[in-house]
Amino acid sequence: VQLQASGGGSVQTGGSLRLSCAVSGLTFSSYAMGWFRQAPGKEREFAGAISASGMTTTYGNFVQGRFTVSRNNAKNTVYLSMNSLNAEDTAVYYCAAGRYHGVSQEEYDYWGQGTLVTVSS
């Protein structure tokens, strides 16, 4: 199983980015997908998740309507669209696959390598 996250980079405060996570080695349409992030010196935290069907999404409290998780089951890819970015969003972002779109890391079985997002003023 491989999860390949991409799309990270440097962006200015207020900017936008879209992360992608390409998945192989499992039946993508049977797995919920989650996004987590880890800022320097902090614990990894839940950012958002989407159910296997794509019908349900869940977000971390800090998101406050700025992020959207979506998926394309035909392309085995999940996305995290991020708007109104600020310095506190600087982190390594990880995608993960699991049986339920939960908020806990323990609910996910497979993880990608992460992609770095840096937000500066």
Side-chain angles (χ1 to χ4, degrees), residues 59-78:
Y59 295 96
N61 291 335
F62 72 87
V63 170
Q64 297 184 343
R66 301 180 300 128
F67 294 3
T68 301
V69 182
S70 59
R71 66 190 294 158
N72 185 329
N73 284 354
K75 294 185 177 181
N76 287 7
T77 302
V78 62

Side-chain angles (χ1 to χ4, degrees), residues 4-105:
Q4 183 69 44
S6 62
S10 296
V11 63
Q12 291 190 325
T13 299
S16 301
L17 276 178
R18 188 177 81 156
L19 307 183
S20 300
C21 176
V23 180
S24 61
L26 53 75
T27 305
F28 182 72
S29 60
S30 296
Y31 280 80
M33 297 298 300
W35 286 95
F36 291 78
R37 71 180 190 179
Q38 187 166 19
K42 294 189 177 181
E43 300 283 323
R44 189 174 298 187
E45 66 177 340
F46 173 73
I50 188 166
S51 62
S53 67
M55 296 291 289
T56 304
T57 53
T58 307
Y59 295 96
N61 291 335
F62 72 87
V63 170
Q64 297 184 343
R66 301 180 300 128
F67 294 3
T68 301
V69 182
S70 59
R71 66 190 294 158
N72 185 329
N73 284 354
K75 294 185 177 181
N76 287 7
T77 302
V78 62
Y79 306 96
L80 179 66
S81 298
M82 306 183 292
N83 299 314
S84 302
L85 289 165
N86 57 62
E88 288 69 38
D89 296 314
T90 294
V92 176
Y93 285 74
Y94 299 89
C95 57
R99 288 297 186 176
Y100 182 72
H101 53 286
V103 304
S104 172
Q105 296 179 56

